[in-house]
Amino acid sequence: MLRTLIRLLPPAGARQLTVLTAWLTAAAVLHGIALGLVGVVVAAWLDPAGDRTPWTIALGTAALAFVLVQWTAQMTAFRVGSTTARALHLRLGDRLAALPLGWFTATRQAGTIDLATTGVPQLMSYPALLLRPALTALVTPPAAALTLALLDWRHTLAVLAATAVAWAATRYAGHLARTVDTRRHRVTAEATDRILEHATRQPVIRTDQRADDTDALDRALEQVRAASRHSAGAVVPGLLLFGLVLNALFAALIAAGIARVTAGALTVPVFVGVIVVTARLTAIAAAGAELAAGLRLQQGTLGRLATTLDTPPLPVLHTPDEPAPATGELVRAERVSFGYDHTTVLHDVSFTLPRRGLTALVGPSGSGKTTLIRLLARFWDPTTGRLLLDGTDLRALCPENLYAHIGTVLREDYLLDTTIGENIRLGRPAATDTELAAAVRAAGLERSVAELPDGLDSPAGPGGTQLSGGQHQRVCIARALLKAAPLTLMDEATSALDPENARLATEAAHRLAATRSVLLIAHNLDTVTHADQILVLDQGRIVQNGTHTELTTRDGPYQRLIRDHTSAPRRPG
Ligand SMILES: Nc1ncnc2c1ncn2[C@@H]1O[C@H](COP(=O)(O)OP(=O)(O)OP(=O)(O)O)[C@@H](O)[C@H]1O
């Protein structure tokens, strides 16, 4: 665990933790020496011919050194505990910022929240509180046993052998508990999926009266309860086994000592001295075993943290200089293919987007429109082919540079738990109040904002939960309008709320397209008639490309889409 933690920390943090480990190890060694000397001193005082003074002075010196080193180590430990948690939080934050957007599934988001809010703060206690007793349990017994060689080397060998057996018993108990723990984490993760699914699909479950979903959730929760019971139970045999082994070893050491005293091979003072120390070592080892449960929990947390921190970020490529793109061309897709798992959903997709103008992406459901737009926002990278922005491969742009060039109004757009105004300002933090007001007006948000008691200073709530669906979308549109990025990606599905919002989304897209490039997923084909370019996607391939007038005069998929669209029943409104 210590090795993993040192590996995950930045160099300065790793150095601090290594220094702390050295201090704590030194304290544990001094603890062992002082304990061993207690035995020597006891024997010296019981033996009328014993060398009392020098051993007592040696014990006093070792005890004083132990107290000083332990004090320094513990003070360092508290400091390292808090800097470790802070360093891990920062590393987690950095890695989250670099991970592919496609990594953030609902389950991973829940796991990450748990790690950031509970897991990492708990890890603080590892260097601050747990490392000291763990090292004491590991290092103090052999150090004490070696010091006891001053009295009797045979007993030293016996205590060392006993320590090795006790250590093996702890490892075995830990292995038993870890196996059960792994299963508990797996079923907990599965249950989290069910809970999230159950919570997000409540409207469907209630209206369709889907008893299956509730049953699946109940089953998952029951599995978690069973696994937790099993996990708690799994600690017990380990502890019992360890206690048994420890007491048996202690009894064996006493028996061997008595036998040797009876045989005249050991004096009574030495016997008392070594047994006093051995009894104390047994208590230290028992405390170490109790600690193992706490360490196990932290090991699980650290494992999950390591998995996240070891997830490779989207690579930033170093590409040779490319010839400047054709004037007027902002985006070029070159034979892009992409698949989720092993199913290819985009095949050899090629197109260009102008620097200025509205491009509509249309096609049947499941044809790959959202996937294509997500590739442009670099949720993932294409499996083959490439996407160029202003002549540069997206993979060669660092995330800050990429997202400075891209604005979005997508399904996954999130509003922060701050004011409406601040959420819009995220589009361009340096925008003036006049520019902000213009974006609010253009997004059709003016009236809604005026009706709120605090206007733009009204809270949006976590994820925008204090806003209606329409208001949420208008805030996202205002944010994109204010950002006015060279490329704006819009999913009209966000406006499938009511005709008024659909109209607003289209108007906003057209307004931006007057000076910038906009790629709009259009579900309502009425909105694409004035697009500068229409890309028709079918089963992951661009099958047609042109303006509405050009495409309606050709027999083909677009005509069929228009036919299906006009014959479909309209939503009221
Ligand atoms: N995260 C994902 N994991 C696995 N498969 C996915 C994922 N997202 C989409 N797909 C699959 O990829 C294909 C294309 O989906 P996509 O959402 O890109 O289509 P779309 O044209 O946007 O559909 P719609 O118009 O219904 O939103 C579909 O077969 C879909 O099931």
Side-chain angles (χ1 to χ4, degrees):
M1 181 170 175
L2 186 60
R3 265 202 305 270
T4 312
L5 194 53
I6 287 178
R7 179 175 71 75
L8 295 182
L9 283 170
R15 231 179 356 261
Q16 275 189 342
L17 189 55
T18 311
V19 170
L20 171 68
T21 309
W23 274 109
L24 289 172
T25 308
V29 169
L30 285 169
H31 189 182
I33 293 173
L35 261 182
L37 286 174
V38 167
V40 177
V41 168
V42 167
W45 281 83
L46 287 178
D47 186 350
D51 239 351
R52 295 170 184 176
T53 313
W55 287 125
T56 308
I57 292 174
L59 171 60
T61 312
L64 187 67
F66 164 61
V67 169
L68 289 177
V69 173
Q70 173 92 316
W71 170 266
T72 313
Q74 195 54 63
M75 286 295 127
T76 315
F78 289 132
R79 215 179 41 246
V80 173
S82 81
T83 52
T84 296
R86 189 174 147 66
L88 290 176
H89 260 141
L90 289 175
R91 275 216 62 194
L92 183 62
D94 287 349
R95 181 46 52 107
L96 290 178
L99 283 175
L101 293 178
W103 181 86
F104 293 89
T105 60
T107 313
R108 288 200 183 118
Q109 284 177 28
T112 307
I113 291 168
D114 185 46
L115 259 184
T117 56
T118 318
V120 172
Q122 272 175 359
L123 276 177
M124 178 177 163
S125 67
Y126 177 70
L129 299 170
L130 296 176
L131 189 56
R132 185 182 56 77
L135 282 172
T136 304
L138 203 68
V139 175
T140 301
L146 288 172
T147 313
L148 278 181
L150 291 167
L151 286 181
D152 181 51
W153 63 268
R154 284 189 189 80
H155 189 80
T156 292
L157 288 183
V159 173
L160 285 178
T163 307
V165 172
W167 185 76
T170 321
R171 297 278 297 184
Y172 181 63
H175 166 73
L176 280 183
R178 249 193 318 280
T179 313
V180 182
D181 240 24
T182 310
R183 181 178 129 64
R184 184 171 65 85
H185 271 296
R186 186 173 48 74
V187 295
T188 306
E190 283 167 10
T192 307
D193 271 349
R194 293 287 81 74
I195 291 165
L196 284 171
E197 197 174 64
H198 198 72
T200 50
R201 291 175 57 202
Q202 269 306 307
V204 180
I205 293 168
R206 287 185 195 190
T207 47
D208 292 358
Q209 301 193 343
R210 299 276 300 268
D212 296 0
D213 290 276
T214 313
D215 289 350
L217 178 66
D218 284 348
R219 270 196 309 277
L221 290 176
E222 181 43 47
Q223 279 180 357
V224 173
R225 273 194 292 275
S228 299
R229 271 198 307 272
H230 196 181
S231 171
V235 181
V236 177
L239 278 179
L240 286 180
L241 170 77
F242 183 76
L244 206 69
V245 168
L246 203 63
N247 284 317
L249 289 171
F250 186 47
L253 287 172
I254 293 178
I258 291 174
R260 288 177 61 216
V261 169
T262 317
L266 197 68
T267 65
V268 172
V270 169
F271 173 65
V272 174
V274 295
I275 289 306
V276 164
V277 176
T278 312
R280 180 73 197 114
L281 291 184
T282 311
I284 288 177
E290 299 275 343
L291 193 77
L295 281 175
R296 204 157 41 72
L297 274 180
Q298 301 231 336
Q299 227 162 1
T301 306
L302 195 61
R304 290 195 299 284
L305 181 66
T307 308
T308 304
L309 293 182
D310 290 341
T311 306
L314 281 177
V316 176
L317 291 186
H318 297 286
T319 52
D321 286 347
E322 298 264 349
T327 333
E329 174 188 308
L330 179 70
V331 172
R332 171 175 287 270
E334 284 179 355
R335 307 197 63 182
V336 168
S337 296
F338 176 77
Y340 297 101
D341 304 320
H342 299 296
T343 317
T344 304
V345 298
L346 290 177
H347 308 265
D348 256 354
V349 170
S350 298
F351 61 89
T352 60
L353 299 183
R355 279 180 198 285
R356 196 175 302 161
L358 177 70
T359 301
L361 192 55
V362 301
S365 177
S367 56
K369 302 181 294 293
T370 308
T371 305
L372 183 55
I373 244 175
R374 285 180 177 167
L375 288 185
L376 279 166
R378 218 175 165 211
F379 275 53
W380 305 276
D381 284 332
T383 321
T384 57
R386 57 185 194 156
L387 289 161
L388 305 174
L389 181 72
D390 218 358
T392 307
D393 193 317
L394 288 193
R395 290 167 295 186
L397 291 169
C398 67
E400 298 78 37
N401 199 356
L402 173 66
Y403 296 114
H405 284 82
I406 293 180
T408 58
V409 183
L410 300 179
R411 294 176 210 191
E412 43 281 294
D413 273 352
Y414 192 82
L415 294 185
L416 299 183
D417 187 10
T418 175
T419 64
I420 295 175
E422 285 302 311
N423 268 294
I424 299 173
R425 247 184 217 290
L426 284 176
R428 185 150 48 96
T432 62
D433 286 350
T434 317
E435 288 167 331
L436 181 70
V440 168
R441 219 174 15 257
L445 197 59
E446 208 172 25
R447 216 180 56 215
S448 305
V449 166
E451 283 167 5
L452 293 170
D454 294 317
L456 282 174
D457 293 331
S458 307
T465 41
Q466 290 190 27
L467 304 180
S468 72
Q471 285 168 340
H472 186 292
Q473 190 210 338
R474 288 169 204 217
V475 171
C476 293
I477 291 178
R479 187 160 68 187
L481 288 173
L482 189 63
K483 182 165 184 176
L487 173 65
T488 299
L489 306 171
M490 289 182 83
D491 187 348
E492 194 203 44
T494 54
S495 64
L497 299 158
D498 57 51
E500 170 66 2
N501 283 304
R503 187 182 59 76
L504 265 169
T506 316
E507 278 178 15
H510 278 286
R511 188 170 289 121
L512 264 175
T515 54
R516 301 280 192 265
S517 187
V518 178
L519 180 61
L520 169 80
I521 295 183
H523 291 267
N524 176 3
L525 296 186
D526 296 339
T527 62
V528 305
T529 45
H530 298 297
D532 301 287
Q533 174 183 219
I534 299 168
L535 302 174
V536 186
L537 206 57
D538 193 10
Q539 294 186 11
R541 295 176 199 279
I542 302 255
V543 287
Q544 274 189 310
N545 182 354
T547 61
H548 176 74
T549 317
E550 287 163 1
L551 294 178
T552 39
T553 51
R554 284 185 225 147
D555 192 22
Y558 186 72
Q559 269 198 354
R560 279 197 294 282
L561 279 173
I562 293 280
R563 253 198 320 272
D564 293 348
H565 178 68
T566 40
S567 60
R570 296 299 172 100
R571 277 184 302 132

